[in-house]
Amino acid sequence: MARALRLTRWGLLWERGARAFWPLATLLCAGFAVLWLGLAAALPPAALPWAAGLWLLAVVLAAGWGGWRFRRVRAAEVVLRLDRTLPGRPLTALADRAAIGGEGALWQAHLAQMARAAEAARAVPGRADLAPRDPYALRLAGMVALVMALIFGGPGQMGQGIQAIAATVAPPGGGVALPSGPSWEGWAEPPAYTRRPTIYLNAWPEGEALVLPKGTVVSFRLYGGGEVSQDIGPAQSEDALAPRFRAEVDGLIEVTGRRFDVTVLADLPPAIRAGAAPTRRADGRMMQDFSATDDFGVSHADAVIALDLAAVDRRNGLATSPEPREAIELALPMPRGDRREVQGQLVEDLAQHPWANLPVTLTLRAVDGIEQVGEVAPMRLELPGRRFFNPLASALIEMRRDLLWSRGNAGRSAEILRALTWQPEGFVADDLYADLRGAVGVLEGDAFSPEARDRLAAALWEAAVQLEDGGLADALARMREAQEKLSEAIRNGASPDEIQRLMDELREATDAYTQMLAEQAEQRDGTDQPDRGGQQGQQITGDQIQQMMDEIQRLMNEGRMAEAQALLEQFNRMMENLQVQQGEGGEGSGQGSQPMNRLADTLREQQRLSDEAFRDMQRQFGEGGQGGESGDAPSGEELAERQRELREDLGRQQGLLPGQGSEQGDRARRQLDEAGRAMQDAEDALRRGDGSEALQRQADAIQSMREGMRALGEMLSGEGEGQQQAGEGEGQDGQQPGEQPGQGGPGGGETAFDGRSMLDPLGRQRPGNGNMITGGDPLAEGLDPAQRARDLLDEIRRRSGQQERPRAERDYLGRLLDRF
């Protein structure tokens, strides 16, 4: 209890002291911060004495006010505060005296009971409760200033402040010498776009070269005389005591007692590179891959699209001179954070632009922090846009293009519209007929202004889309709206009931869209229709769509909203880019054959690329006989580009693999992820010219792809067993009895896979289960595969033992022997 009383007393002292002296403490913290940070030296000399005097007066007043408010702590007050926290007030009871019967047993039992209660006493902490007394939080401002001063200040700055104050109150040449800080200070502040910190030159290691980005501002502050000499750039200030200059070239800085050897880093212009030629998505949007680099980071980048008038087929409505139109400038997406190496993809909907499907030039530009520009040579291409195959819709779009090309085509377009609307029965719907006849009046009017032209172009576009898609466009819009609503609900943490309602809406809208798309495909079945921009060979069935939506539903039910959001975004992209086939049978029933065949093609391309990289390494060491003339050999940069294209193609295939959520499907995706990382490392090694490392990483990529294909094949074979049992007489993938996989039908020359067909380490198809490779693969025909494997291994052993061969090649051959 004595310890509790003692600590409670200290708590009361703190409480009363804080309430009385918090203004004084705040003023002292602020004054110390000003001196420790050197802010006093920055004040004008005329204002410094007044500021110091006012501060000193405030300190005296605060001290007097605190002394008048403070009251010493009495023992009775400590006992009372502690006693209030105990039940029955035992401390007060122990101090009581019985009027009669003080020696009786009852009184003694009462005292014993109070003594036991007092043993539970615990110290009461002091409560300053300063918030009502300091409504503007001045005490917190003082504490923050003190902490900042301790972090960023120092005794040197404090000495400068004291010296500056003393200089204003002491007579010249007289007074007592005060301790002073450094005689100078210096800072090197790189340009903001470099994201490099400011350098405090006083703390820079002596004798170490000072490396600065070009454009760095170097500033000094001199105390008590001295000068700065330098030859690294032009001066930025005329003040002899605070010189500033800009670092432009290598040179030397000399200041009192110090010398700095300065190396200036030149700011190189940015470099930007375009990926493959722009592609057109199924919805008509343009996609363009790009990569950009800069030594300090790309500030921004854009794509400039200009009409290639010389390449335009100047016939019909394009024969007249076009009206002037500014080039299209599109901002390329930039990541946050480090922008020294940027990779991205521009996705833009230009389907309604007047230049859609016309020859244009595309120029990519990157700009750095000092407005240096890097760009690639213009690419010539047709601006990706939507294509229309309905004859009437195509005619309306061509008319729209002619009007946007030049309003001089108005008369010609009016004649075409009159021809289209002549005898419209069975050809043009009534509502569309009325709109087209109204357009004739607009075209033949006297005031065909640019605004009227643009309104008519918008109406023609809507009419063409309605003719082309019927209700498909509305169904697609409803599906996209449902996707956006569900995505927004997931991000905002909506209730489970709300999310379930939106999920049901998405299911209904998706079913309606896929049904209409299937009906449209049936109507066009058997006709030779041009490509609509989807990725060739990428199809998905209604069952796969249902599986994906079930997986989204499962993730949401388990509360894994982030994963559900990511899968929903993948579903959105898939629905925009893929053709959808409903029902069973046909191509859609073989859900896994196309992904497996595409992976097989990628694997073969990777093997060919690895062989070329190996021959390139041989040529580098003087063995060019195997690879042809050196002039025909691909360079390391070309091999790296091909490696990048293979890696990107593999990434696109991963999003189309079946079996999401199954054990084998997830294992296949993990292995393909490993393959993609190995391909990235191989690409980097090829760019560096490290052929040995590139070959090793390519071998890792090949092995990971094989493992991924094995897992995918096991999954597909497990799913196909039931189908094979139900087929009774049909061969694999719907073939007729007796056909070998890969032989029947139009794809007879391609590789067929199932869960048990795998490539051996040397690229051959392992025999068994009726699987075989056809189509001219030299490893699958001619010699016995086992004998061929022995011959290859013998040749590898023979070459690895030849000491005259380059060490890098022998190391690679040794790794082959260790692996296989």
Side-chain angles (χ1 to χ4, degrees):
M1 187 176 65
R3 179 175 180 272
L5 287 170
R6 185 170 59 254
L7 293 178
T8 302
R9 180 184 182 85
W10 283 109
L12 272 173
L13 281 172
W14 151 252
E15 179 180 307
R16 294 184 178 183
R19 292 178 179 179
F21 294 106
W22 73 263
L24 177 63
T26 301
L27 288 170
L28 292 177
C29 289
F32 178 82
V34 168
L35 291 175
W36 201 253
L37 288 170
L39 299 178
L43 292 175
L48 190 56
W50 290 98
L54 289 175
W55 176 80
L56 185 59
L57 177 62
V59 168
V60 172
L61 293 176
W65 184 80
W68 177 72
R69 295 266 302 177
F70 183 76
R71 295 290 182 270
R72 69 184 184 89
V73 178
R74 296 180 175 82
E77 294 174 334
V78 177
V79 172
L80 180 61
R81 169 166 286 201
L82 183 61
D83 201 24
R84 287 174 177 173
T85 64
L86 299 173
R89 301 287 184 91
L91 300 183
T92 303
L94 289 174
D96 290 342
R97 294 292 180 267
I100 56 174
E103 301 298 328
L106 180 60
W107 179 254
Q108 295 301 324
H110 169 67
L111 292 180
Q113 182 181 9
M114 293 296 101
R116 288 193 297 270
E119 291 177 357
R122 295 294 182 268
V124 181
R127 293 185 302 237
D129 195 20
L130 295 179
R133 296 170 173 81
D134 180 20
Y136 299 105
L138 298 179
R139 67 194 187 286
L140 300 181
M143 293 174 61
V144 171
L146 176 63
V147 172
M148 297 294 288
L150 294 175
I151 295 175
F152 299 105
Q157 288 91 327
M158 188 172 186
Q160 299 161 19
I162 295 176
Q163 187 178 18
I165 296 173
T168 61
V169 297
V176 180
L178 296 174
S180 62
S183 60
W184 62 271
E185 285 186 291
W187 299 267
E189 184 179 359
Y193 72 88
T194 64
R195 295 181 174 86
R196 292 196 175 191
T198 298
I199 301 174
Y200 184 54
L201 297 180
N202 296 63
W204 189 258
E206 195 161 357
E208 183 176 336
L210 183 60
V211 180
L212 302 175
K214 187 176 181 179
T216 298
V217 176
V218 182
S219 59
F220 288 90
R221 184 178 295 164
L222 304 178
Y223 310 110
E227 64 177 359
V228 177
S229 61
Q230 56 86 24
D231 58 357
I232 66 172
Q236 304 289 306
S237 172
E238 301 296 333
D239 189 350
L241 297 180
R244 290 164 55 90
F245 41 88
R246 180 186 177 94
E248 297 289 348
V249 295
D250 297 349
L252 182 69
I253 301 175
E254 290 186 352
V255 65
T256 306
R258 285 294 299 273
R259 165 179 171 158
F260 297 93
D261 294 316
V262 179
T263 301
V264 175
L265 296 177
D267 190 346
L268 301 176
I272 189 168
R273 183 175 59 189
T279 57
R280 177 171 50 85
R281 295 197 330 188
D283 57 359
R285 296 188 182 186
M286 179 186 75
M287 295 189 303
Q288 173 63 59
D289 295 327
F290 70 93
S291 60
T293 59
D294 186 67
D295 43 8
F296 293 114
V298 178
S299 174
H300 62 276
D302 54 24
V304 180
I305 301 175
L307 180 66
D308 188 1
L309 189 59
V312 175
D313 185 5
R314 305 293 296 276
R315 294 184 300 169
N316 302 325
L318 303 180
T320 184
S321 297
E323 295 180 1
R325 194 176 292 273
E326 294 183 356
I328 307 170
E329 294 191 10
L330 304 173
L332 299 179
M334 289 284 112
R336 295 182 178 178
D338 189 4
R339 293 185 179 180
R340 287 175 294 181
E341 294 186 4
V342 176
Q343 287 188 339
Q345 184 181 71
L346 172 67
V347 179
E348 191 70 23
D349 186 2
L350 299 174
Q352 298 189 47
H353 194 274
W355 297 341
N357 300 313
L358 289 179
V360 296
T361 59
L362 172 64
T363 305
L364 301 184
R365 302 185 308 189
V367 183
D368 65 5
I370 57 175
E371 301 301 323
Q372 296 184 110
V373 179
E375 63 181 28
V376 295
M379 294 185 294
R380 297 179 180 275
L381 67 144
E382 284 191 0
L383 184 63
R386 178 168 180 175
R387 299 184 183 277
F388 291 81
F389 306 106
N390 180 283
L392 181 55
S394 179
L396 295 179
I397 289 299
E398 183 176 350
M399 184 186 310
R400 175 182 179 273
R401 181 202 65 187
D402 294 346
L403 292 174
L404 293 173
W405 180 266
S406 173
R407 281 180 293 160
N409 288 321
R412 177 178 178 275
S413 299
E415 293 178 0
I416 295 175
L417 277 181
R418 286 186 177 277
L420 288 175
T421 54
W422 184 65
Q423 294 183 349
E425 293 80 6
F427 178 63
V428 180
D430 293 341
D431 54 350
L432 180 58
Y433 172 80
D435 294 338
L436 296 180
R437 295 301 297 181
V440 172
V442 173
L443 292 171
E444 294 179 344
D446 295 332
F448 188 51
S449 62
E451 293 76 14
R453 184 265 317 273
D454 294 341
R455 290 194 298 270
L456 179 57
L460 290 174
W461 176 269
E462 293 179 2
V465 170
Q466 187 66 26
L467 286 170
E468 179 75 11
D469 293 339
L472 184 62
D474 295 336
L476 177 59
R478 287 195 301 272
M479 186 183 69
R480 286 177 176 171
E481 183 181 1
Q483 292 168 355
E484 292 174 359
K485 287 182 179 179
L486 179 58
S487 180
E488 185 71 18
I490 293 175
R491 285 195 299 267
N492 296 336
S495 65
D497 293 341
E498 180 69 12
I499 290 179
Q500 183 61 50
R501 183 182 65 80
L502 294 174
M503 187 67 193
D504 293 340
E505 289 183 7
L506 177 58
R507 286 181 185 273
E508 295 176 1
T510 303
D511 291 343
Y513 174 68
T514 53
Q515 181 64 32
M516 296 192 69
L517 195 59
E519 293 174 357
Q520 189 181 75
E522 291 177 1
Q523 295 173 0
R524 294 178 178 173
D525 189 22
T527 61
D528 185 13
Q529 297 287 1
D531 173 39
R532 296 199 61 181
Q535 298 178 6
Q536 294 180 358
Q538 296 180 1
Q539 296 179 340
I540 188 168
T541 65
D543 291 340
Q544 288 175 301
I545 294 175
Q546 188 63 37
Q547 291 173 5
M548 202 166 186
M549 298 188 72
D550 290 343
E551 180 66 13
I552 295 173
Q553 180 78 63
R554 183 181 68 82
L555 292 173
M556 291 191 299
N557 292 341
E558 294 177 359
R560 297 156 64 181
M561 293 303 179
E563 298 177 49
Q565 173 74 15
L567 189 57
L568 179 59
E569 293 176 358
Q570 180 181 350
F571 174 78
N572 297 347
R573 292 192 299 270
M574 179 186 70
M575 295 301 294
E576 287 181 348
N577 286 289
L578 299 180
Q579 291 181 340
V580 183
Q581 283 196 346
Q582 288 281 346
E584 300 179 357
E587 295 181 13
S589 61
Q591 297 179 14
S593 59
Q594 285 187 341
M596 184 67 86
N597 288 339
R598 289 197 64 193
L599 287 175
D601 293 340
T602 304
L603 177 59
R604 280 194 289 269
E605 288 298 323
Q606 181 63 67
Q607 290 170 326
R608 293 191 189 100
L609 183 59
S610 181
D611 292 341
E612 292 190 31
F614 180 67
R615 288 194 291 270
D616 180 66
M617 189 177 70
Q618 286 183 318
R619 283 189 294 270
Q620 293 177 10
F621 291 101
E623 295 192 7
Q626 296 184 24
E629 297 297 330
S630 60
D632 298 332
S635 65
E637 189 66 27
E638 292 174 348
L639 294 174
E641 276 298 307
R642 289 175 55 189
Q643 185 67 77
R644 180 186 65 82
E645 293 173 0
L646 274 178
R647 173 174 56 83
E648 292 176 352
D649 183 58
L650 180 63
R652 287 190 290 267
Q653 294 179 47
Q654 286 180 258
L656 303 173
L657 294 181
Q660 174 120 11
S662 65
E663 180 180 355
Q664 294 92 339
D666 292 343
R667 181 155 58 91
R669 284 174 172 79
R670 287 195 298 270
Q671 291 296 332
L672 295 182
D673 286 340
E674 291 290 336
R677 285 190 286 270
M679 288 180 176
Q680 177 69 63
D681 294 340
E683 177 188 344
D684 296 339
L686 288 171
R687 296 192 192 279
R688 297 193 307 268
D690 189 350
S692 177
E693 174 67 17
L695 290 171
Q696 177 62 44
R697 301 307 293 154
Q698 286 174 337
D700 294 340
I702 291 172
Q703 183 65 23
S704 297
M705 287 185 66
R706 289 171 181 158
E707 293 296 330
M709 292 173 65
R710 175 183 298 171
L712 186 60
E714 290 174 356
M715 182 196 69
L716 295 176
S717 64
E719 292 178 354
E721 288 178 358
Q723 297 176 3
Q724 292 175 358
Q725 292 174 1
E728 292 191 10
E730 290 189 1
Q732 184 181 359
D733 293 333
Q735 298 165 353
Q736 295 303 318
E739 285 186 359
Q740 293 290 345
Q743 292 178 335
E750 299 180 351
T751 306
F753 290 90
D754 66 10
R756 297 168 292 277
S757 63
M758 290 299 300
L759 299 171
D760 72 2
L762 296 176
R764 303 181 305 275
Q765 184 77 9
R766 286 176 174 165
N769 301 305
N771 291 290
M772 58 182 295
I773 291 182
T774 62
D777 193 331
L779 293 180
E781 300 175 359
L783 296 177
D784 175 66
Q787 181 62 41
R788 176 63 172 164
R790 286 192 294 271
D791 292 344
L792 288 174
L793 288 174
D794 290 343
E795 179 65 16
I796 292 173
R797 293 191 184 98
R798 183 185 68 80
R799 293 194 180 193
S800 66
Q802 295 175 348
Q803 297 300 317
E804 64 275 11
R805 290 185 175 274
R807 181 177 181 84
E809 180 183 349
R810 287 188 281 111
D811 290 343
Y812 171 66
L813 295 173
R815 289 194 296 271
L816 284 179
L817 292 174
D818 292 340
R819 182 181 289 271
F820 303 128

